[in-house]
Amino acid sequence: MKLLHSPASPFVRKVLVTLRETGQLSDVEVVNIATTPMASHPELIAANPVGKIPALIRQDGPTLYDSRVICRFLDARAEAGLYPEKRLWDVLVLEATADGIMDAAVSIVYEERFRPKEIVSMDWIEAQWAKVSRALDALETRWMSHLSGPLDMGQIAVGCALGYLDFRHDVRGWRTGRPELAAWEARFARRESMVATRPE
């Protein structure tokens, strides 16, 4: 299999962490793709008509894209139990919450990096950060018992989302007022899979 990726993407990191946690990293050729939201790489478009990373090219089936699809496939392939049936809906909601944080955080980066400075919308940026902030508050107040339980995909997604906030939005100080989530992140970030995939 071949994974089309960009090392700065939190969605790609989710897949890379999953590959490591499920022991499948050696089964996948990781290919770096230079792409932007304004001009997707031709190889990426050929694999994923939406032109987004990550994309997992398989020899025995169609290409998989969207990190949630890829991670679910990898978990099923390894029978790793990252989507446990007894907690499935909680895991899926937690993963969706983390992906929402990533979506909003990446959107801020795109607004600042790819739009002409004279039309960058601070209202848009703050609206995206408000989504992040609400999701972080929900993690702090509703999800800590789940985050502290056995490893699942919800935890991996949250770990990658928080890592992206540190990587791209550290000045926002997401830990302020969220001591339990901050303590959890400090522990989770020490996992071998997280250390190995930390963006530069």
Side-chain angles (χ1 to χ4, degrees), residues 10-179:
F11 298 102
V12 168
R13 189 182 187 193
K14 225 176 85 178
V15 173
L16 292 174
V17 170
T18 302
L19 283 168
R20 289 177 178 275
E21 292 286 353
T22 60
Q24 299 179 85
L25 187 61
S26 62
D27 296 340
V28 176
E29 177 189 359
V30 179
V31 179
N32 189 47
I33 293 289
T35 190
T36 75
M38 309 297 286
S40 296
H41 191 283
E43 184 177 2
L44 180 59
I45 292 173
N48 175 4
V50 180
K52 291 184 175 183
I53 52 173
L56 184 67
I57 300 172
R58 301 180 295 160
Q59 285 73 44
D60 58 351
T63 297
L64 302 179
Y65 45 88
D66 189 285
S67 65
R68 277 179 273 194
V69 175
I70 296 171
C71 289
R72 192 72 183 263
F73 166 77
L74 293 172
D75 176 67
R77 183 175 185 263
E79 299 181 351
L82 294 176
Y83 292 92
E85 190 64 33
K86 288 184 178 179
R87 295 182 288 121
L88 180 61
W89 300 113
D90 286 349
V91 171
L92 292 175
V93 170
L94 192 55
E95 184 182 13
T97 301
D99 281 5
I101 291 172
M102 295 184 221
D103 278 330
V106 169
S107 181
I108 292 172
V109 172
Y110 286 172
E111 180 73 11
E112 294 174 335
R113 185 172 295 176
F114 295 107
R115 285 175 69 87
K117 289 184 179 179
E118 63 273 14
I119 59 172
V120 169
S121 172
M122 292 308 299
D123 288 342
W124 171 264
I125 289 172
E126 292 309 314
Q128 299 312 302
W129 187 256
K131 296 176 185 179
V132 172
S133 185
R134 290 193 300 267
L136 293 172
D137 288 343
L139 294 176
E140 176 77 14
T141 58
R142 303 177 201 168
W143 289 101
M144 291 314 305
S145 61
H146 185 113
L147 288 174
S148 300
L151 180 68
D152 60 35
M153 186 51 61
Q155 293 178 21
I156 291 172
V158 170
C160 292
L162 299 180
Y164 188 74
L165 297 183
D166 283 339
F167 178 54
R168 293 296 193 200
H169 303 289
D170 189 47
V171 296
R172 294 274 187 169
W174 68 263
R175 291 171 177 81
T176 302
R178 304 177 184 103

